[in-house]
């Protein structure tokens, strides 16, 4: 992880919906090659923040810089070039129901005019394989997939253009414990093998333990604290303490410390 220069830099972010203030003076840095987990109580604007970074929603004030580009003021061509350098996976994959998995994964590739149909299909099949889906999954429609398979297909689409950054919104929500653990391992493995920077919104303590290099806690309308899982244990803010010391946190810690099936830590 390179901590000398943030790959994502947020400064003074204010987010308001009428009189309701979600973020106020929020600052955050994300470093190249890290998996950052963003957590917070209900209504703290975790997913809102993700949508602001990728330009789907505009904050009321502040600056958002990604890969050296100001997201809020970029010209259209600069903006399109930037979007090709990140991938986004929303909850449950957010796949197009009328397209099969291969066609869903091809959607971002269609902006590249030099890619012919056969090449797009071959690359899509490669991405489908990378996320651990069976060889015939490309021909299936979202309605024919389990929840875990839809999430993997959504991740394959996020990886379509070989991005430098991947944004994941509650990637393990709705999965059973075994499926969630498998997805955690997939995210961690892909991040390391592909050199990805991952911005991960989650409430899942097991995911934080299994995948994240750092954690950012949203509370009191800002990023209250950032640090490693170990550093979170020493934060005395009431919500942070309860979240990282409660029964679920203790269970997640025990699970993370337990040996795997091969008897290895």
């Amino acid at each position: 992880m390179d901590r000398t220069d943030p790959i994502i830099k947020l400064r003074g972010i204010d987010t308001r919906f009428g009189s309701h203030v979600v973020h106020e003076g929020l600052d955050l840095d994300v470093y190249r090659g890290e998996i950052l987990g963003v957590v917070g109580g209900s209504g703290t604007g975790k997913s809102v923040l993700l949508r602001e970074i990728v330009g789907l929603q505009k904050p009321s004030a502040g600056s958002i810089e990604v890969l050296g580009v100001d997201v809020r003021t970029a010209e259209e061509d600069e903006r399109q070039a930037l979007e090709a350098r990140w991938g986004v996976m929303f909850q449950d994959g957010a796949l197009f129901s009328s397209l099969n998995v291969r066609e869903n994964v091809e959607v971002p590739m269609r902006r590249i005019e030099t890619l012919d149909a056969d090449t797009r299909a071959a690359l899509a099949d490669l991405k489908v394989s990378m996320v651990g889906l069976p060889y015939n999954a490309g021909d299936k429609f979202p309605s024919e997939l389990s929840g875990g398979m839809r999430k993997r297909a959504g991740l394959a689409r996020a990886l379509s253009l070989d991005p430098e950054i991947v944004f994941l919104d509650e990637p393990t929500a709705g999965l059973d414990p075994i499926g969630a653990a498998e997805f955690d391992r997939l995210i961690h493995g892909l991040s390391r093998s592909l050199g990805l920077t991952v911005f991960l919104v989650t409430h899942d303590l097991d995911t934080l333990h299994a995948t994240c290099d750092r954690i950012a806690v949203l509370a009191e309308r800002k990023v209250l604290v950032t640090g490693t899982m170990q550093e979170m244990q020493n934060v005395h803010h009431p919500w942070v303490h309860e979240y990282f010391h409660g029964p679920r946190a203790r269970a997640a810690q025990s699970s993370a410390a337990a040996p795997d099936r091969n008897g290895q830590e």
Side-chain angles (χ1 to χ4, degrees):
M1 183 196 315
D2 182 2
R3 293 207 177 190
T4 60
D5 186 28
I7 196 171
I8 301 172
K9 185 186 297 184
L10 311 182
R11 293 293 183 269
I13 299 298
D14 290 353
T15 306
R16 297 183 178 87
F17 299 101
S19 60
H20 178 56
V21 179
V22 179
H23 305 134
E24 188 171 35
L26 182 151
D27 296 337
L28 178 64
D29 289 333
V30 183
Y31 300 100
R32 185 178 294 277
E34 76 170 336
I35 303 177
L36 177 76
V38 179
V39 302
S42 177
T44 54
K46 304 181 292 295
S47 295
V48 170
L49 188 63
L50 184 156
R51 292 174 64 86
E52 288 175 339
I53 296 172
V54 300
L56 295 177
Q57 192 167 318
K58 289 187 177 182
S60 306
S63 65
I64 299 173
E65 187 177 296
V66 181
L67 294 164
V69 176
D70 189 325
V71 173
R72 300 190 66 192
T73 61
E75 298 292 337
E76 182 62 25
D77 57 344
E78 190 176 27
R79 167 81 192 179
Q80 289 183 3
L82 180 62
E83 289 178 353
R85 299 173 70 185
W86 71 47
V88 186
M89 182 192 130
F90 296 104
Q91 292 187 38
D92 200 38
L95 301 172
F96 296 107
S97 60
S98 61
L99 303 179
N100 65 27
V101 168
R102 181 182 300 105
E103 291 165 341
N104 265 283
V105 177
E106 286 182 38
V107 168
M109 301 180 193
R110 292 184 179 277
R111 72 180 67 179
I112 303 177
E113 297 178 356
T114 55
L115 283 182
D116 60 65
D118 288 342
T119 302
R120 284 200 310 269
L123 289 172
D125 285 341
L126 174 62
K127 304 303 178 182
V128 168
S129 175
M130 283 173 57
V131 300
L133 286 171
Y135 74 94
N136 62 344
D139 295 319
K140 295 184 180 295
F141 288 85
S143 61
E144 301 176 285
L145 304 178
S146 67
M149 292 177 73
R150 284 196 300 274
K151 287 179 182 288
R152 287 174 184 262
L155 180 58
R157 187 175 63 187
L159 296 173
S160 177
L161 296 179
D162 297 326
E164 298 170 54
I165 307 171
V166 174
F167 296 90
L168 307 176
D169 191 3
E170 298 283 6
T172 59
L175 296 181
D176 63 74
I178 294 174
E182 290 175 347
F183 205 85
D184 288 340
R185 288 193 290 271
L186 175 64
I187 293 169
H188 188 270
L190 287 173
S191 171
R192 296 303 183 252
S193 62
L194 301 177
L196 296 172
T197 302
V198 180
F199 184 99
L200 188 159
V201 172
T202 187
H203 67 279
D204 191 330
L205 280 155
D206 288 321
T207 294
L208 295 177
H209 276 282
T211 66
C212 295
D213 300 300
R214 270 196 320 142
I215 299 161
V217 178
L218 267 60
E220 301 176 6
R221 303 174 178 174
K222 61 185 179 182
V223 174
L224 184 73
V225 63
T226 63
T228 64
M229 178 63 75
Q230 186 61 41
E231 289 168 337
M232 291 297 113
Q233 307 297 316
N234 301 318
V235 177
H236 299 296
H237 183 276
W239 188 90
V240 179
H241 186 274
E242 176 62 24
Y243 186 81
F244 289 101
H245 289 270
R248 291 187 177 182
R250 291 193 292 272
Q253 289 170 348
S254 298
S255 176
D260 64 21
R261 292 183 180 181
N262 296 318
Q264 299 177 349
E265 296 292 336

